[in-house]
Amino acid sequence: MDQTQNDLLSPPEHSKEEEGQPKGARRRGDVLENAILQAAWEELEEVGYAQLTMENIAVRAKTNKTAIYRRWPNKVKIVVAAIVKHVPQPDIFAPATGDLRKDVINLLQGISKPMQKIGAETIHALMVEYHGNDLSSQLMRPKTEDKLNAAMKNILKNAQKRGEVRLEQINERVVSLPIDLLRYEILTTHEPVSDSTILEIVDDIFLPLVRQ
């Protein structure tokens, strides 16, 4: 795991005291950190990534830039931290609608909907700032990757019980294909994945392979 991923999963060590505030009004630790991330998220929603500044975050959070830079050294880091905190986690539970097509569509939509909340402008800007790193994997939490594949396997197991597929004829790469294609779309387009793209992944690529 690279340093950026470590930063996302483990906030950096920081001083417990906020500078620049009257002593009786000091906020410390998680209280201050949450206030800063809330301010960053509100700024991102109101003005967008391009216009967001550390100065405005500090003003909104009623703190100073030193308190922010002590925790997040640049705009990219604080925006990613705010997204991780405020955007709902992808829904990685295997749906059970009784139909293979609906189950796969629901799973992919459950993963992609949080990305839509972030917005295309922010995703594109962060992709550029990360210089090609797989930001989509980081925002989708890499530790959930095995759970996503497990969800796909559960969907296919349920489909086998209904007689829709035969698991022994499905290659492991095909099992993970919908998740891989979803991540590829985010990485290459720098935008949330549309419902029409999800339908293409399911109807034109995945289902013909598993229903042979």
Side-chain angles (χ1 to χ4, degrees):
M1 181 180 294
D2 62 26
Q3 185 59 46
T4 301
Q5 292 172 317
N6 281 328
D7 290 342
L8 284 171
L9 300 174
S10 302
E13 294 295 325
H14 55 74
S15 169
K16 294 296 184 180
E17 184 172 288
E18 179 180 13
E19 297 177 357
Q21 294 288 328
K23 188 171 183 178
R26 279 177 179 161
R27 293 166 297 172
R28 302 181 178 185
D30 291 343
V31 173
L32 176 58
E33 189 166 296
N34 289 336
I36 295 171
L37 290 178
Q38 180 65 37
W41 178 248
E42 291 173 359
E43 283 288 312
L44 185 64
E45 288 192 308
E46 288 188 16
V47 305
Y49 184 87
Q51 301 301 317
L52 182 144
T53 66
M54 301 293 258
E55 290 83 357
N56 287 344
I57 293 173
V59 170
R60 185 183 286 267
K62 297 181 174 60
T63 186
N64 56 64
K65 289 190 295 182
T66 301
I68 297 177
Y69 281 112
R70 184 184 299 129
R71 295 159 172 80
W72 303 280
N74 54 54
K75 185 168 79 169
V76 175
K77 294 291 183 71
I78 193 171
V79 168
V80 171
I83 288 172
V84 169
K85 182 173 181 61
H86 292 283
V87 174
Q89 288 301 292
D91 186 353
I92 60 174
F93 295 101
T97 66
D99 178 78
L100 173 60
R101 178 177 183 272
K102 291 180 181 178
D103 283 351
V104 179
I105 289 173
N106 286 351
L107 177 64
L108 297 187
Q109 288 179 336
I111 298 168
S112 67
K113 291 301 182 184
M115 303 298 288
Q116 294 177 7
K117 185 174 177 63
I118 297 170
E121 178 200 5
T122 300
I123 292 175
H124 177 77
L126 290 175
M127 287 286 191
V128 172
E129 296 285 352
Y130 269 69
H131 304 294
N133 283 347
D134 192 352
L135 180 69
S136 65
S137 291
Q138 295 173 33
L139 294 179
M140 291 167 64
R141 300 293 179 89
K143 291 196 297 185
T144 68
E145 184 174 355
D146 290 340
K147 292 182 180 179
L148 292 175
N149 285 336
M152 280 300 309
K153 288 181 180 179
N154 285 335
I155 287 174
L156 289 169
K157 286 178 182 178
N158 290 335
Q160 179 173 247
K161 292 176 183 178
R162 297 189 299 266
E164 293 186 73
V165 299
R166 296 177 62 182
L167 272 176
E168 68 273 11
Q169 296 181 349
I170 302 175
N171 187 281
E172 283 292 324
R173 291 184 181 275
V174 175
V175 173
S176 64
L177 185 60
I179 306 299
D180 293 338
L181 289 176
L182 187 71
R183 186 175 286 114
Y184 176 79
E185 283 292 325
I186 296 170
L187 179 63
T188 56
T189 66
H190 299 179
E191 295 182 1
V193 180
S194 67
D195 287 343
S196 61
T197 298
I198 288 176
L199 293 180
E200 290 175 358
I201 290 173
V202 176
D203 292 334
D204 298 342
I205 301 174
F206 182 65
L207 289 181
L209 289 174
V210 299
R211 285 178 169 170
Q212 288 182 348

